[in-house]
Amino acid sequence: MISPSKAQIKPGKLLINGKWQDSVRGGALPTVNPATAAVLTMVAEAASDDVDLAVKAARRAFEGGDWKKMHGSDRAKVLWRCAELIDKHSQELAELESLDSGRPIHESSRLDVPMAADCFRYFSGWATNIQGESLPVKGNCLNYTIREPLGVVGIIVPWNLPLMLGSWKVAPALAAGNTVILKPAEQTPLSALRLGEILMEAGLPEGVLNIVPGLGPVTGEALVSHPNVDKIAFTGSQKTGQEVMRTASRNLKRIALQLGGKSPNIVFADADIDAAVRAAVEGIFVDSGQLCTAASRLLLEDSIHDQFVEKLLARTKELRPGDPLDPATRLGPLVSELQLAKVLGYVASGKNDGAKLAIGGDRATVLGLEKGFFVQPTVFTDVRQDMKIAREEIGGPVLSVVRFKEADEAVKIANSLLYGLSAGVWSRDIRKVHRVARELQAGSVWINTYNVFDPASPFGGFKMSGFGRDLGRECLAQYTLVKSVWVDLTV
Ligand code: NAD
């Protein structure tokens, strides 16, 4: 196994009011390296009294006004410095992310870390541009709007891409002048804690960012139910999203939910087949199929089905699970033993339901990492719409291939689930791709490409993939309140 060159693994603490501390009751949770199943370190677990302390600190920091009343250009400086520090520590952050989540360093160093830095840079620009409008109302009145920060924002993120997804919410929330409590997932807290250190070094005032690792039903629930938290920005599973919505309804807390997906990737016969094959393989196997946007349903036009599957399998065969810290590795382990069991359960259900297992289907063994949570890249063909593997989010490297005869049928299949996060369309016919893009019920549609993100472009779901948006101008409205001010000009 390759040893990290930069990442420092130390016991994790809570960040409350600018101080790193243990939890009041002394609770701590292990965080595990998915490639070895060994405990990396212990991380303090925030119980409800710690969450309460974090909320009080965030509330004081908000009401005290240092951050929200600071000129946008000064907030921008802190966010920009944070981006520079992320760049400076990029190798260390990438290694930390790969050790804690199993994501290959090839991805964490090329995508997650640069994207996190870009996200802070992008929203530092917005800190001076959040503004109201003057509106053309009837009568002799002046009416204008002010956009104010919301207050205390609770941010809950999942185990996949924790640094990047955390940045997608922390950066805009801070740019808008809010104070934040971040709860990373229990499986992958380390990069969020390091981001906290970086933001403090960048000059964030005490209490503006607090970090409370811990279990969902304990720490997450305490944050969502806390009456002094104004908003919850959540990314995670549909089931937890529903739970968050129920809990938040008790005090009508604002929420934004970014949930799971079962994304269709539609390939028409007139597509650039080799490019589509490359993207279909990457689209499902990147991050071992655990991305929320994983292209887990491959819809192939009948006439190219066999030729496409042959090329797809040839490329899939080349993918070998390996050490996430090895720059040559393209397929890492799943995040946890639980996820491994869940994914193998779906493989068994695909076999039972009569889908044809074309490749993979088992736990994979990697030399020197025999205890790691690796799964072989797996492809099922002859998948019917009624099968579980065609309908449910698997969260692993398992692709379901489905045939279609014409565009309308492809759209119908694509839209047939309650998910609506993302979709891919492959064709050289410019009219067809735009028509299909309009008809797809998905928050992101990629045409002749897949899994492209930029801080300027909004990201989020339709239907039960959630509501609210991360990134772009779009997300800022969710971290501000709009106030309408009227002035009678005759008095
Ligand atoms: P999860 O829902 O189990 O957990 C997400 C977070 O919620 C974790 O921090 C967890 O501790 C917390 N949590 C759990 N129960 C809670 C509760 N009762 N109250 C408050 N918080 C609670 O999801 P996961 O397994 O960590 O992540 C995988 C899921 O996330 C997949 O469905 C994936 O598609 C989705 N996801 C969505 C996006 C997106 O942007 N749409 C991005 C990444 C992942």
Side-chain angles (χ1 to χ4, degrees):
M1 191 197 163
I2 296 175
S3 303
S5 60
K6 291 260 169 65
Q8 309 270 331
I9 307 294
K10 53 186 184 193
K13 306 245 179 193
L14 315 179
L15 175 61
I16 297 179
N17 204 27
K19 314 272 178 314
W20 293 97
Q21 54 196 64
D22 289 320
S23 76
V24 172
R25 297 182 201 182
L29 293 168
T31 186
V32 167
N33 179 348
T36 61
V39 172
L40 280 166
T41 188
M42 297 299 288
V43 174
E45 182 197 6
S48 59
D49 27 18
D50 300 299
V51 170
D52 191 46
L53 288 175
V55 175
K56 284 193 173 114
R59 176 59 59 195
R60 261 197 318 274
F62 184 72
E63 303 302 343
D66 283 1
W67 185 247
K68 74 174 170 187
K69 289 190 187 144
M70 188 184 274
H71 190 262
S73 58
D74 292 323
R75 283 202 300 275
K77 276 187 210 155
V78 175
L79 298 184
W80 191 274
R81 269 199 299 270
C82 172
E84 287 184 329
L85 287 168
I86 292 175
D87 284 343
K88 182 175 162 195
H89 299 289
S90 57
Q91 179 65 19
E92 176 208 341
L93 281 163
E95 286 178 5
L96 206 56
E97 199 72 322
S98 292
L99 281 169
D100 210 14
S101 71
R103 181 149 159 89
I105 191 116
H106 174 76
E107 291 157 21
S108 53
S109 63
R110 276 184 340 129
L111 303 170
D112 309 19
V113 176
M115 183 83 180
D118 275 356
C119 182
F120 277 95
R121 261 188 286 271
Y122 174 79
F123 284 107
S124 78
W126 273 109
T128 49
N129 280 296
I130 297 169
Q131 59 203 13
E133 300 172 294
S134 165
L135 296 161
V137 291
K138 276 188 184 160
N140 208 349
C141 278
L142 167 67
N143 177 256
Y144 63 93
T145 58
I146 307 174
R147 283 216 165 260
E148 298 178 356
L150 252 170
V152 174
V153 177
I155 293 176
I156 300 178
V157 290
W159 45 256
N160 57 356
L161 322 182
L163 176 70
M164 189 171 104
L165 294 182
S167 302
W168 284 13
K169 296 183 195 300
V170 171
L174 293 179
N178 300 287
T179 59
V180 168
I181 300 154
L182 170 64
K183 193 207 93 63
E186 49 274 38
Q187 300 88 343
T188 56
L190 298 183
S191 58
L193 295 173
R194 188 68 186 99
L195 179 65
E197 288 178 345
I198 285 174
L199 271 159
M200 298 310 290
E201 189 184 336
L204 201 66
E206 285 177 358
V208 173
L209 173 69
N210 305 273
I211 307 183
V212 290
L215 295 173
V218 180
T219 318
E221 155 78 27
L223 192 56
V224 179
S225 60
H226 202 293
N228 237 337
V229 173
D230 298 298
K231 180 194 170 114
I232 294 289
F234 173 85
T235 300
S237 64
Q238 216 174 53
K239 188 164 157 275
T240 312
Q242 288 172 317
E243 187 65 39
V244 165
M245 197 162 176
R246 262 192 298 276
T247 309
S249 73
R250 285 190 223 144
N251 57 0
L252 291 181
K253 198 179 265 102
R254 286 161 178 77
I255 54 171
L257 301 177
Q258 305 289 354
L259 310 177
K262 184 78 182 175
S263 299
N265 188 23
I266 306 171
V267 186
F268 290 98
D270 56 4
D272 176 335
I273 298 295
D274 289 334
V277 168
R278 273 197 305 277
V281 171
E282 265 198 36
I284 178 63
F285 297 126
V286 71
D287 203 26
S288 298
Q290 298 172 107
L291 285 193
C292 52
T293 54
S296 51
R297 292 189 288 155
L298 178 62
L299 276 53
L300 296 179
E301 190 164 351
D302 232 358
S303 59
I304 53 156
H305 177 278
D306 296 354
Q307 164 206 1
F308 197 102
V309 167
E310 196 179 311
K311 289 186 178 207
L312 178 91
L313 294 179
R315 224 180 152 80
T316 304
K317 253 185 220 143
E318 291 168 10
L319 271 178
R320 293 218 163 60
D323 184 346
L325 288 184
D326 182 345
T329 296
R330 298 292 180 271
L331 195 72
L334 298 178
V335 72
S336 64
E337 198 154 16
L338 200 70
Q339 194 67 11
L340 175 71
K342 181 180 161 199
V343 170
L344 293 178
Y346 274 109
V347 172
S349 102
K351 287 189 206 161
N352 286 341
D353 288 347
K356 184 174 160 206
L357 180 62
I359 192 168
D362 272 322
R363 191 172 180 166
T365 322
V366 176
L367 204 64
L369 300 172
E370 285 76 10
K371 293 193 173 150
F373 312 130
F374 296 92
V375 173
Q376 296 169 340
T378 299
V379 176
F380 279 106
T381 56
D382 297 340
V383 176
R384 288 190 324 269
Q385 270 309 97
D386 59 327
M387 295 178 183
K388 249 170 84 166
I389 56 165
R391 309 191 67 77
E392 297 181 16
E393 184 181 44
I394 296 177
V398 181
L399 177 65
S400 297
V401 183
V402 178
R403 289 171 188 262
F404 69 88
K405 287 202 171 61
E406 39 155 36
D408 286 351
E409 186 192 359
V411 169
K412 199 168 160 201
I413 296 171
N415 289 343
S416 66
L417 305 185
L418 288 171
Y419 288 113
L421 191 59
S422 54
V425 184
W426 293 82
S427 161
R428 288 190 173 103
D429 180 340
I430 195 165
R431 285 165 307 172
K432 183 158 62 185
V433 290
H434 288 295
R435 202 175 59 235
V436 169
R438 279 188 186 193
E439 287 171 11
L440 287 170
Q441 296 163 349
S444 295
V445 177
W446 289 294
I447 297 173
N448 295 331
T449 184
Y450 203 85
N451 266 341
V452 191
F453 303 93
D454 189 283
S457 181
F459 176 76
F462 280 25
K463 303 199 278 187
M464 284 184 77
S465 288
F467 48 81
R469 289 292 177 268
D470 279 338
L471 304 180
R473 167 205 290 259
E474 218 81 34
C475 84
L476 285 159
Q478 298 162 54
Y479 293 109
T480 53
L481 291 171
V482 66
K483 183 178 281 171
S484 175
V485 181
W486 291 84
V487 186
D488 187 329
L489 297 178
T490 64
V491 179

